[in-house]
Amino acid sequence: MARRAIPVGLVIAAAAADGAGFHGVAFYALLLAVPAAAIAALDAFGRVLDGADEQLHALLWTVVLALVVVGCAFRAAAVADGAVPALARSALLACLGVFCVQAAVSAARELRGR
């Protein structure tokens, strides 16, 4: 559970830092989110290999990992300028959207299981 909460928290912290104008802090939060998202993606993929029915979660974590890497790559050049490239901002917002989809899928799975 904590493996999945850490990247979510770091991406939310990056979005909050961007909103407050602390773009350098947002970059470093996203930079920390890269290995955390990789661990979450590998963990989800491992559960799929173990036979769990979580292919969608593994795919969504892979998308999150790709978005975080893209966001960091485009922010890296602009950290000294204090600006945020549009693609980096879009990748961050897309990550938040994927987290919403993951939450909805988990909630639907819990309701279906009852």
Side-chain angles (χ1 to χ4, degrees):
M1 179 74 158
R3 288 183 189 161
R4 292 175 278 180
I6 292 171
V8 173
L10 287 169
V11 170
I12 290 172
D18 259 351
F22 299 115
H23 305 300
V25 173
F27 169 72
Y28 289 114
L30 282 178
L31 195 61
L32 287 173
V34 170
I39 290 170
L42 287 172
D43 183 51
F45 183 66
R47 285 194 308 271
V48 169
L49 291 178
D50 286 340
D53 185 28
E54 297 193 18
Q55 291 88 356
L56 181 60
H57 278 291
L59 175 68
L60 291 174
W61 276 114
T62 304
V63 170
V64 165
L65 176 60
L67 288 169
V68 170
V69 168
V70 166
C72 280
F74 280 92
R75 280 178 190 265
V79 169
D81 298 337
V84 180
L87 187 59
R89 189 177 307 255
S90 297
L92 180 64
L93 292 175
C95 267
L96 294 173
V98 171
F99 291 147
C100 290
V101 170
Q102 283 180 327
V105 168
S106 292
R109 183 173 287 157
E110 286 294 319
L111 289 176
R112 188 173 27 132
R114 288 185 182 175

